Amino acid sequence: MLAYVRSSAVLGINAYQVVVETDISTSIPSWAIVGLPDAAVQESRERVRSAIRNTGFEFPQRRITINLAPADIRKEGPSFDLPIALGILIGSGQVNGDALPDTLIVGELSLDGAVRGVAGVLPIALAARDAGMRRILVPEANTREAAIVDGVDVFPVATLAQAAQLLNDPGSAEPARLDPADLMPERPPYEADFSDVKGQTHVKRALEVAAAGGHNVLMIGPPGSGKTMLARRMPSILPPLSVPEAVETTKIYSVCGLLPSGSALITTRPFRSPHHSLSNAALVGGGSVPRPGEVSLAHNGVLFLDELPEFNRDALEVLRQPLEDRVVTIARVQASLQYPASFVLAAAMNPCVCGYYGDTMRRCTCSETMVRKYQQRISGPLLDRIDLHIEVRRLSEDELVHHRSSESSATIRDRVCAARERQAERLRGRKIHCNAEMGARDIRDLCPMGDDVRDLLRHAIQQLSLSARAYDRILKVARTIADLSGSADIGADHVAEAIQYRTLDRKMLL
């Protein structure tokens, strides 16, 4: 007897439908799984056999053939256990399959018949809704993650027996529902706050500009000056996630299996801080089985690269495409995958190997050649893609001893949100959301300048030998500074501030 159970698998960060075809025939007892299954899918034979028997059903002693269609795409992971088991039960007449045409099923089975959570349930639920499915059976551990998808009934199952009961009697349980808007906090909770930071007023200002326009930022200073402390507080001044942003971010974490158990949405801006020893694939994604990398896990949040020159040079160079295009393209012979990578890059570095070049209190022990080689580990093209370069000075004795009141993250975030609202109004109708995403045409249309501003920019180009990309980024930063001040036009003071954020690399990098 033939049985057809609809399931799903993930390719990149999106899901596609898989039909689990089960044929049970009278022949020598055996069973096989075809359709390009990986080792985890092949091993499901033993899990399914034990789960069926330990749940109280009869495992048919016949020839069983399982086909996972489409057969030209490799199937990975244990999420096909539950649909395979139900296909066998339906094919052997132990479960009614009348409800199957409108039902999609995923789940891993334990040997006792319990259903375990699987990765990628959110994109699977979204794909099920888009395909017109009416209901989806998911592991109980993935209930909240799937229930935020409107337009499809989500039924959590804890055991194989419960899943069989739902197919026999679809009206025996109520679907789980969850409104994603109810999960979004009005003020995101962040433990790290800018009120904890002593001094560094100019650095806080630069980070506020970076947050307001979505700009990348590099902080250069000696050890202990507060670079890491400042960077870890950047998410707290970014605007709260919108529901579409939260769903898109959660899809990535769901696919990677990094969504906390029982969670429905990622409701705060991600902050990723990978170690400098990571590989190229770990940073931007890829591998023999392509997976999102750190730049995608930082999507809609902050990617912090501490000790930037210590990263492998090849890894830093592959950052250039996601910094420019805000997507990562992984090309393979079978397919080409795209992962979103729209993040704010916050990087930090010491000015030299010992860390004290230019410090006023400790003598640098590096030679000029050592300083030059260390700083030249960061290529010019990569520096051009970082909008703000900030010098972080050591705190004075007075700043360290006396803790003066400082602005909280909430206060700074209110100004950032106001600037983002001005940008949203100005960028309405364009496929961009903040000033950092503006292209050449957007800059020409949205960054009007007077003659005094043009003269200032012309002088800066002559004195600093700025590239065309650096020139564009100065205008983007100046546009953000004008938004923070509530100005419709870009003034000379806005451009002057933007230029001084670009001159730091020329001053410190030899």
Side-chain angles (χ1 to χ4, degrees):
M1 181 177 175
L2 277 170
Y4 299 90
V5 179
R6 284 170 173 76
S7 187
S8 189
V10 174
L11 186 63
I13 63 167
N14 297 310
Y16 64 96
Q17 195 170 121
V18 175
V19 179
V20 180
E21 304 173 341
T22 305
D23 176 63
I24 301 179
S25 60
T26 303
S27 184
I28 298 174
S30 64
W31 75 314
I33 301 178
V34 297
L36 287 183
D38 72 348
V41 179
Q42 289 284 10
E43 290 174 353
S44 68
R45 291 180 297 179
E46 302 307 318
R47 293 192 297 271
V48 168
R49 189 199 310 269
S50 297
I52 288 176
R53 288 175 173 169
N54 292 329
T55 305
F57 294 104
E58 179 186 351
F59 189 84
Q61 297 301 311
R62 301 178 189 178
R63 177 178 175 82
I64 303 173
T65 304
I66 308 292
N67 179 42
L68 306 177
D72 60 341
I73 302 178
R74 187 167 182 80
K75 316 304 185 304
E76 300 166 349
S79 61
F80 299 108
D81 289 3
L82 183 58
I84 288 174
L86 291 173
I88 293 173
L89 294 178
I90 293 167
S92 61
Q94 300 178 70
V95 172
N96 183 8
D98 292 343
L100 285 178
D102 297 324
T103 304
L104 188 141
I105 303 168
V106 292
E108 177 186 350
L109 287 174
S110 64
L111 299 183
D112 62 356
V115 179
R116 292 179 173 146
V118 295
V121 167
L122 178 56
I124 287 172
L126 291 167
R129 179 195 62 188
D130 296 340
M133 307 299 289
R134 290 179 54 194
R135 64 183 67 86
I136 174 172
L137 271 59
V138 301
E140 197 171 53
N142 300 116
T143 305
R144 289 171 57 82
E145 177 184 351
I148 66 171
V149 179
D150 189 28
V152 62
D153 291 338
V154 175
F155 292 91
V157 291
T159 64
L160 174 59
Q162 186 181 356
Q165 174 61 27
L166 274 171
L167 292 183
N168 286 328
D169 184 9
S172 61
E174 290 293 323
R177 292 186 174 87
L178 201 59
D179 187 351
D182 295 338
L183 303 174
M184 304 303 296
E186 185 177 349
R187 289 189 173 272
Y190 292 102
E191 293 184 5
D193 195 278
F194 268 92
S195 60
D196 304 326
V197 181
K198 298 179 178 180
Q200 306 294 10
T201 304
H202 70 293
V203 185
K204 294 178 187 177
R205 166 64 178 178
L207 295 182
E208 179 181 339
V209 172
H215 303 289
N216 304 316
V217 58
L218 171 65
M219 293 176 284
I220 308 173
S225 57
K227 302 184 297 294
T228 302
M229 185 179 187
L230 286 157
R232 290 189 179 278
R233 282 152 177 77
M234 269 207 75
S236 68
I237 62 173
L238 289 171
L241 281 173
S242 64
V243 171
E245 286 177 328
V247 170
E248 192 174 27
T249 303
T250 305
K251 279 178 63 176
I252 300 170
Y253 279 75
S254 176
V255 167
C256 294
L258 298 177
L259 191 63
S261 179
S263 296
L265 277 178
I266 301 291
T267 58
T268 57
R269 299 276 178 183
F271 180 85
R272 303 293 298 183
S273 180
H275 191 262
H276 58 74
S277 61
L278 86 171
S279 65
N280 295 7
L283 181 60
V284 298
S288 56
V289 179
R291 289 172 59 86
E294 290 291 335
V295 297
S296 295
L297 291 170
H299 182 58
N300 291 322
V302 176
L303 176 67
F304 177 49
L305 301 183
D306 201 4
E307 304 296 341
L308 189 64
E310 301 300 329
F311 281 79
N312 182 283
R313 188 181 180 91
D314 291 339
L316 292 181
E317 294 308 305
V318 298
L319 270 178
R320 286 156 61 174
Q321 186 226 351
L323 285 175
E324 198 73 23
D325 301 335
R326 299 188 179 270
V327 295
V328 174
T329 303
I330 307 296
R332 293 290 182 268
V333 175
Q334 297 86 353
S336 180
L337 305 176
Q338 278 197 341
Y339 298 124
S342 180
F343 58 89
V344 174
L345 173 65
M349 62 177 285
N350 296 328
C352 63
V353 178
C354 75
Y356 297 103
Y357 178 75
D359 189 61
T360 57
M361 298 184 66
R362 292 191 60 170
R363 179 177 175 273
C364 174
T365 59
C366 303
S367 66
E368 292 293 332
T369 302
M370 292 172 61
V371 174
R372 182 180 297 107
K373 286 183 177 180
Y374 183 77
Q375 296 177 351
Q376 288 177 348
R377 293 181 188 178
I378 314 301
S379 69
L382 180 60
L383 277 176
D384 266 353
R385 287 167 169 83
I386 301 177
D387 303 348
L388 296 91
H389 310 153
I390 316 161
E391 185 179 6
V392 185
R393 294 292 188 185
R394 179 195 296 273
L395 293 177
S396 66
E397 297 88 340
D398 182 62
E399 289 173 317
L400 282 171
V401 174
H402 299 97
H403 181 66
R404 297 177 176 85
S405 60
S406 180
E407 277 190 320
S408 68
S409 292
T411 302
I412 301 174
R413 184 170 62 240
D414 289 341
R415 294 198 296 267
V416 169
C417 289
R420 287 287 184 110
E421 288 173 4
R422 296 185 185 99
Q423 293 170 49
E425 183 64 29
R426 186 172 58 250
L427 299 173
R428 193 181 305 278
R430 301 173 187 258
K431 296 181 179 180
I432 54 178
H433 304 92
C434 60
N435 289 334
E437 299 176 4
M438 289 193 297
R441 180 175 298 178
D442 301 313
I443 293 173
R444 184 176 66 246
D445 296 342
L446 305 175
C447 298
M449 295 177 289
D451 292 338
D452 57 336
V453 174
R454 295 181 190 279
D455 291 341
L456 179 59
L457 284 169
R458 188 178 295 109
H459 181 72
I461 293 172
Q462 294 171 350
Q463 294 296 316
L464 303 175
S465 302
L466 297 174
S467 68
R469 181 180 288 113
Y471 171 79
D472 285 347
R473 292 185 182 275
I474 285 175
L475 289 179
K476 293 179 186 180
V477 174
R479 178 68 269 176
T480 299
I481 295 170
D483 289 335
L484 282 169
S485 65
S487 174
D489 298 323
I490 297 177
D493 54 336
H494 305 140
V495 173
E497 183 177 353
I499 290 173
Q500 66 97 12
Y501 292 138
R502 290 297 307 184
T503 57
L504 186 58
D505 62 325
R506 311 303 176 194
K507 176 182 177 182
M508 297 194 66
L509 301 182
L510 302 177

